[in-house]
Amino acid sequence: MHLDKDTIIKDFKRKLMVMYAEDVKEASIMHKYYALGGLIKEYCSKNWLRTNKLYSENKVKQVYYFSMEFLMGKLLISNLISLGIKEVCEDALKELDIDLRELEDVEKDAGLGNGGLGRLAAGFLDSMASLKIPGNGNGIRYKYGLFEQKIVDGRQVEVPDRWLKEGYVWETRKHDKAFIVRFGGDVRVTQEDGRFKIIHENYEPILAVPYDVPIIGYNNDTVNTLRLWSAEAVDKDFDFVSFSNGNYVKAVEYKYSVEAISQVLYPDDSNEKGKLLRLKQEYFFVSAGVQSIVRKYKKLGLSMEKFNEYIAIHINDTHPALAIPELMRILVDEENMPWEKAWDITIKTISFTNHTILSEAMEKWKLEMFKKLLPRIYMIIEEINRRFCGELFDRYEGDWNKINKMSIIQDGYIRMAYLSIVGSHSVNGVAELHTEILKNVVFKEFNDFYTHKFNNKTNGITHRRWLLKANPHLAKLISNTIGNNWIREPNKLIKLKRYSKDRVFQEKLLNIKQSNKIELSNFVKQNYGISIDPNSIFDVQAKRLHEYKRQLLNVFNIMNLYNRVIENPNLDIVPRTFFFGAKASPGYYMAKEIIKLINAVGNRINNDKRVKDKIKVVFLENYRVSLAEKLIPCANVSEQISTASKEASGTGNMKFMMNGAVTIATLDGANIEIKEAVGEENIVLFGLRAEEVINYYKNGGYSSIDIYEKDKRLKNIIQTLKDGFLDSSNVSVSTNEFDGITNKLLHNNDEFFVLKDFDAYVRAQSKIDMLYKNQSKWQEMSAVNIACSGRFSSDNTIKEYAKNVWGV
Ligand SMILES: *Cc1c(COP(=O)(O)O)cnc(C)c1O
């Protein structure tokens, strides 16, 4: 987009005038932000319309990415970058005495996701638009996104995230494109003209109203759409009054109960609760999404038989799996298609990504509850399963054990992962190791039955947000060194490898990291009152708090290091600042205990003069996309230390390497592919392998007590936890405070192998210290990591999905 400074100034002033009847002098920073946002929307609207027209006139195949979560973060600056007007806009605002970064501070993160899964969906939208792929997002417009985290007295406190309070500048409400979603009621089967007809009555109708957000491609005139659905009561002249019996208070109560469906994002990461409201949410956005796709498709005037040639629906984990029976319902009940034909089309339309092997995260729904809420969908799932079990019977005649094990309906539950595998043509894992575990362990029987369905698509990240936007100085250095082709073709980053030993380049790389670190140090000083040394190693673990991610292992190493420094004040280590950023699910007791421990340890160490600033621990509150953008460009060390086999892919690992951090890692998820990309000499590995972990779970042979008894360091650490010595002014900790943690480690046999991997981790951390002392070597490692990060751009991932899964 070509715009000069004067045009932007003129347009911006006009926008302020039209929206608020104010000039630049009078307008608050908030109004300036909304005026600029409105202006950007105006700038992209022509291309938005043009893109939509292009797609429908050429009848190109469309991809719909269904996801319960889209973790979008902020859009102001990334939209400016995509339009190619960030610099000129910055200059224009400067002329008006406005700092673009201050305007960005006004924007609230759209935190409609928990972590990696939701961020992946957001990154994929960016890549699809930037690759000119006709790709749309379909999700829920939660009134409250993921909770805001405050740390009070060392503990996590959750505060509602009122991100819509001042209005969301990027969305457009499309009331005329609303649909009815039906819950409950009775289903009857009658005959009409010799055909079965399904009558669904006495149901509760809910209005699904879409809000569209433009997804702007990078400098390519493409604007795709993220459609988020909001739940509303149907107009009062419809069911509203009769349902509430004319009773005003009841009517209002009813309105609230309806709106509850899109009220709040469940704050669980990798842990399903089986709540009725969650099931309502899932059917709500899936039904609205499929209905709107079908209506739009029919406008093209094509036969329903060709649906899958023009439409691909991707389900991000099992949360949108009801897209399968919902599409069947529409094809069979509303379009009068024979079951076999409808089933063939459904399978060819749907593809599925699995995100985890944790058994507690595998969704399943109680039959009774499901039947009552979604009676017709239940009948369809029963029929899908009846036919599937028939196929199994033909193949494995008499092997009832196997058939039972694979049945979608089992022990009074519907298994959503099985439904998703049976009802789709493609099932993918998100890193090579994860896909192998799916094929050989978790879904082994299904892989034997349908070998063609399973495939790998390693996750990716958008280099536009995580490098171009988050680390502009580094992006500039890269462009000055190898040209700017890498922005369109991220694999070109590999050209940087030639400069990894170049002293001049290394020096520049160091300076950029250093200035990023200084900026973060000031932020920490201002917001937390903690002085940190920008010359210390910035060691960062930022991700959801979960036992399998093993923040606890990190803390144990810190406690051990602290003990060593106290024992030997002259200990020769590079000063290190350990950063944590992590939200715990509000109901996850152990995760909250670990947050408390990190803060207790930090408080103790940061205030102990004997440490002489050799170690600092900083817990940054409210980890979210915008904080990640601040933090990751400052990292020297990236902590990716999950129990091997548990982290399906990880994407944080990719963001850090792209910003020049060296990874300390277990051989888990995409860490393995990072190792392959950078070579073993440019990553620090430790710990149990996935097959060893799986073998211990299967055959036993691990005793955490044995490890504990033999390791003096661990005995000291656990003793410290028991003594409550961590007590200090800000974080009050009593003697039994951490019994939950010690019990799980010692008396529950340490499910995540923290004690088992402790020694290897401590040694790996010493290796980091040693490597860092050789600065030229360290800068070389850092450069190689950046150079090899291009393959993890989500553009590559999306190209693979487009070619091999969606056929676009
Ligand atoms: C990338 C990202 C994640 C995922 O991090 P992992 O280390 O892969 O778990 C979580 N939260 C936010 C805010 C992110 O940006």
Side-chain angles (χ1 to χ4, degrees):
M1 173 156 248
H2 297 290
L3 282 168
D4 59 44
K5 195 166 73 177
D6 294 335
T7 310
I8 293 177
I9 291 176
K10 196 176 91 230
D11 288 348
F12 178 72
K13 286 181 170 169
R14 167 178 54 81
K15 207 75 198 169
L16 264 182
M17 192 58 167
V18 173
M19 288 172 73
Y20 303 106
E22 287 171 350
D23 61 24
V24 176
K25 265 218 180 75
E26 284 168 73
S28 65
I29 188 100
M30 175 94 76
H31 284 180
K32 287 172 190 158
Y33 163 75
Y34 280 97
L36 182 60
L39 184 59
I40 293 168
K41 239 176 109 184
E42 200 178 298
Y43 286 153
C44 83
S45 59
K46 241 190 219 150
N47 279 336
W48 203 2
L49 174 68
R50 210 187 47 82
T51 302
N52 280 327
K53 274 201 172 143
L54 200 79
Y55 290 162
S56 48
E57 277 165 13
N58 297 330
K59 301 187 175 167
V60 289
K61 187 169 185 179
Q62 302 262 332
V63 179
Y64 292 88
Y65 198 84
F66 277 36
S67 180
M68 195 84 179
E69 305 187 2
F70 286 93
L71 193 50
M72 301 297 286
K74 302 187 184 198
L75 291 179
L76 180 69
I77 295 198
S78 62
N79 281 345
L80 287 172
I81 292 174
S82 295
L83 291 172
I85 57 171
K86 186 193 153 207
E87 267 81 30
V88 65
C89 193
E90 215 165 7
D91 290 347
L93 291 170
K94 210 172 274 165
E95 204 141 293
L96 301 173
D97 240 356
I98 301 168
D99 181 352
L100 179 61
R101 299 221 314 196
E102 276 179 42
L103 296 195
E104 191 195 24
D105 286 341
V106 175
E107 181 166 1
K108 302 253 196 320
D109 279 49
L112 310 183
N114 276 283
L117 177 148
R119 186 52 228 166
L120 186 78
F124 280 179
L125 294 182
D126 179 74
S127 283
M128 289 193 284
S130 296
L131 295 169
K132 293 190 171 224
I133 289 171
N136 313 273
N138 188 69
I140 297 176
R141 179 180 180 269
Y142 301 103
K143 188 165 172 198
Y144 298 95
L146 187 60
F147 64 89
E148 191 185 319
Q149 178 194 53
K150 293 229 152 71
I151 300 297
V152 179
D153 194 21
R155 292 160 172 81
Q156 169 174 299
V157 174
E158 299 95 24
V159 179
D161 162 45
R162 301 170 44 153
W163 73 292
L164 287 171
K165 200 174 68 179
E166 324 282 353
Y168 189 49
V169 70
W170 308 114
E171 69 182 7
T172 306
R173 181 183 162 93
K174 297 262 166 94
H175 194 273
D176 58 323
K177 293 193 164 69
F179 287 88
I180 300 279
V181 177
R182 300 180 291 182
F183 289 105
D186 314 302
V187 175
R188 278 191 296 126
V189 186
T190 61
Q191 285 216 9
E192 200 173 274
D193 306 331
R195 297 187 63 103
F196 286 112
K197 197 157 173 57
I198 298 292
I199 312 282
H200 188 180
E201 50 201 0
N202 305 322
Y203 56 83
E204 182 186 352
I206 305 287
L207 193 67
V209 182
Y211 287 74
D212 288 354
V213 179
I215 305 295
I216 307 174
Y218 180 76
N219 275 316
N220 67 359
D221 295 341
T222 297
V223 182
N224 285 343
T225 303
L226 165 60
R227 176 160 285 185
L228 299 172
W229 298 95
S230 180
E232 295 183 10
V234 175
D235 281 348
K236 24 184 186 319
D237 55 339
F238 193 41
D239 255 41
F240 188 61
V241 167
S242 64
F243 187 84
S244 61
N245 251 335
N247 179 323
Y248 170 73
V249 172
K250 260 201 182 153
V252 174
E253 278 172 6
Y254 173 68
K255 177 174 144 47
Y256 274 100
S257 77
V258 167
E259 288 170 4
I261 294 173
S262 55
Q263 193 76 359
V264 63
L265 167 76
Y266 274 85
D268 285 322
D269 189 62
S270 307
N271 186 17
E272 285 310 323
K273 282 278 167 60
K275 288 259 168 62
L276 178 67
L277 183 60
R278 171 86 178 186
L279 180 57
K280 271 191 177 172
Q281 291 185 330
E282 293 184 356
Y283 184 64
F284 169 75
F285 90 98
V286 159
S287 174
V290 177
Q291 288 186 65
S292 101
I293 292 167
V294 169
R295 183 160 81 185
K296 197 167 155 200
Y297 175 76
K298 290 177 82 167
K299 278 200 187 141
L300 298 177
L302 296 161
S303 132
M304 280 317 278
E305 312 244 316
K306 293 189 161 187
F307 189 77
N308 59 282
E309 292 172 32
Y310 294 87
I311 305 288
I313 297 177
H314 196 87
I315 58 176
N316 194 25
D317 214 315
T318 59
H319 321 132
L322 295 177
I324 294 162
E326 177 67 1
L327 182 55
M328 284 300 287
R329 182 188 69 76
I330 292 173
L331 294 178
V332 173
D333 296 359
E334 295 181 4
E335 302 298 326
N336 297 315
M337 200 180 269
W339 181 279
E340 292 76 11
K341 182 75 211 160
W343 184 237
D344 181 55
I345 290 171
T346 297
I347 289 182
K348 286 177 175 156
T349 302
I350 308 266
S351 47
F352 161 53
T353 296
N354 167 284
H355 278 269
T356 177
I357 65 160
L358 300 183
S359 56
E360 66 269 30
M362 295 287 178
E363 279 191 299
K364 52 184 190 184
W365 296 106
K366 269 225 158 71
L367 282 191
E368 292 314 311
M369 177 174 112
F370 194 101
K371 222 189 257 185
K372 229 167 139 181
L373 186 71
L374 303 168
R376 178 58 186 146
I377 295 298
Y378 175 72
M379 289 165 71
I380 292 170
I381 292 175
E382 237 185 359
E383 181 62 14
I384 291 171
N385 192 45
R386 196 183 65 77
R387 289 171 183 248
F388 173 59
C389 289
E391 280 178 56
L392 291 176
F393 187 84
D394 291 344
R395 174 89 160 260
Y396 306 114
E397 203 166 334
D399 191 348
W400 288 108
N401 208 16
K402 194 190 237 355
I403 296 170
N404 227 18
K405 215 171 150 189
M406 295 174 74
S407 177
I408 297 168
I409 300 174
Q410 216 181 102
D411 305 326
Y413 286 95
I414 302 174
R415 304 191 159 257
M416 300 298 268
Y418 295 0
L419 175 64
S420 305
I421 296 170
V422 173
S424 62
H425 64 278
S426 167
V427 179
N428 73 278
V430 290
E432 281 161 18
L433 172 70
H434 172 235
T435 301
E436 286 310 305
I437 295 174
L438 292 183
K439 281 164 56 169
N440 300 318
V441 185
V442 183
F443 299 133
K444 185 176 185 325
E445 291 81 8
F446 286 91
N447 186 48
D448 291 342
F449 188 69
Y450 303 114
T451 36
H452 56 285
K453 281 197 190 185
F454 286 80
N455 64 89
N456 177 249
K457 298 283 169 286
T458 299
N459 281 167
I461 57 168
T462 159
H463 60 288
R464 287 169 290 273
R465 179 171 294 266
W466 298 107
L467 188 46
L468 206 52
K469 170 176 190 296
N471 203 344
H473 296 297
L474 178 56
K476 190 153 217 178
L477 171 63
I478 295 169
S479 291
N480 289 342
T481 311
I482 60 169
N484 60 10
N485 284 343
W486 66 273
I487 301 172
R488 283 202 183 279
E489 298 166 68
N491 291 357
K492 292 249 156 76
L493 280 171
I494 200 73
K495 287 191 188 167
L496 266 185
K497 217 169 171 179
R498 284 214 336 253
Y499 298 86
S500 62
K501 289 184 161 69
D502 179 325
R503 288 301 166 99
V504 180
F505 180 78
Q506 288 183 357
E507 181 84 16
K508 289 178 182 162
L509 191 57
L510 170 70
N511 288 339
I512 288 164
K513 183 70 79 181
Q514 203 56 22
S515 77
N516 291 339
K517 285 165 74 176
I518 290 169
E519 208 172 306
L520 182 67
S521 305
N522 295 335
F523 172 84
V524 169
K525 181 75 198 167
Q526 250 175 35
N527 291 276
Y528 296 85
I530 304 172
S531 304
I532 54 183
D533 176 5
N535 293 310
S536 62
I537 298 175
F538 279 25
D539 177 313
V540 185
Q541 185 168 22
K543 50 182 74 242
R544 283 300 288 265
L545 203 311
H546 206 290
E547 284 164 282
Y548 86 77
K549 291 179 183 283
R550 296 201 295 192
Q551 281 92 352
L552 191 57
L553 180 58
N554 189 340
V555 182
F556 275 20
N557 174 63
I558 298 170
M559 292 173 79
N560 182 55
L561 196 59
Y562 173 65
N563 290 342
R564 285 175 61 203
V565 172
I566 296 303
E567 223 168 80
N568 172 14
N570 298 319
L571 190 71
D572 178 28
I573 53 165
V574 184
R576 196 165 326 193
T577 306
F578 294 93
F579 290 90
F580 291 86
K583 288 179 183 174
S585 177
Y588 187 176
Y589 174 75
M590 280 297 284
K592 289 183 143 180
E593 287 293 291
I594 294 167
I595 288 181
K596 208 163 67 187
L597 177 62
I598 296 169
N599 284 303
V601 168
N603 201 56
R604 172 81 185 199
I605 293 177
N606 297 345
N607 295 310
D608 190 332
K609 295 270 182 312
R610 298 171 295 174
V611 177
K612 294 202 204 102
D613 297 337
K614 279 188 175 145
I615 317 170
K616 283 276 157 76
V617 181
V618 179
F619 189 103
L620 296 172
E621 61 185 7
N622 203 28
Y623 185 59
R624 61 198 184 285
V625 173
S626 58
L627 182 59
E629 289 171 24
K630 260 201 190 69
L631 182 60
I632 292 172
C634 305
N636 299 117
V637 177
S638 161
E639 297 276 351
Q640 308 300 336
I641 60 177
S642 54
T643 308
S645 80
K646 301 276 183 187
E647 188 75 272
S649 164
T651 49
N653 46 5
M654 301 166 185
K655 299 167 196 166
F656 281 99
M657 82 178 288
M658 191 173 271
N659 282 278
V662 172
T663 312
I664 181 167
T666 48
L667 283 168
D668 199 15
N671 298 346
I672 295 171
E673 288 154 74
I674 291 177
K675 180 205 85 176
E676 281 162 9
V678 302
E680 277 199 57
E681 65 283 12
N682 294 301
I683 185 169
V684 176
L685 300 167
F686 74 97
L688 288 175
R689 307 289 195 263
E691 55 200 69
E692 295 174 296
V693 169
I694 292 170
N695 190 46
Y696 276 130
Y697 285 136
K698 209 169 143 197
N699 303 317
Y702 171 52
S703 161
S704 62
I705 285 276
D706 286 355
I707 304 263
Y708 166 77
E709 291 292 350
K710 285 187 200 123
D711 194 327
K712 241 178 66 192
R713 299 166 300 179
L714 283 171
K715 282 191 153 171
N716 274 334
I717 291 164
I718 301 259
Q719 200 52 47
T720 304
L721 293 186
K722 288 186 173 165
D723 288 349
F725 112 121
L726 295 164
D727 194 0
S728 61
S729 54
N730 296 334
V731 183
S732 49
V733 177
S734 59
T735 18
N736 300 320
E737 192 85 39
F738 296 114
D739 282 2
I741 293 175
T742 52
N743 282 336
K744 276 201 95 171
L745 293 176
L746 299 179
H747 308 306
N748 243 325
N749 208 28
D750 181 20
E751 184 184 351
F752 298 97
F753 300 95
V754 173
L755 303 191
K756 178 80 180 167
D757 275 346
F758 173 75
D759 178 63
Y761 181 58
V762 170
R763 281 187 284 119
Q765 283 289 24
S766 303
K767 187 171 168 190
I768 291 272
D769 182 86
M770 183 199 76
L771 289 167
Y772 197 84
K773 281 175 180 152
N774 181 349
Q775 265 301 300
S776 131
K777 187 77 201 149
W778 185 271
Q779 295 311 324
E780 181 188 337
M781 290 172 74
S782 173
V784 171
N785 270 273
I786 299 165
C788 298
S789 68
R791 73 185 251 189
F792 298 105
S793 166
S794 46
D795 289 9
N796 289 322
T797 318
I798 283 297
K799 280 181 193 165
E800 296 242 321
Y801 277 106
K803 184 159 166 264
N804 301 321
V805 178
W806 303 327
V808 293

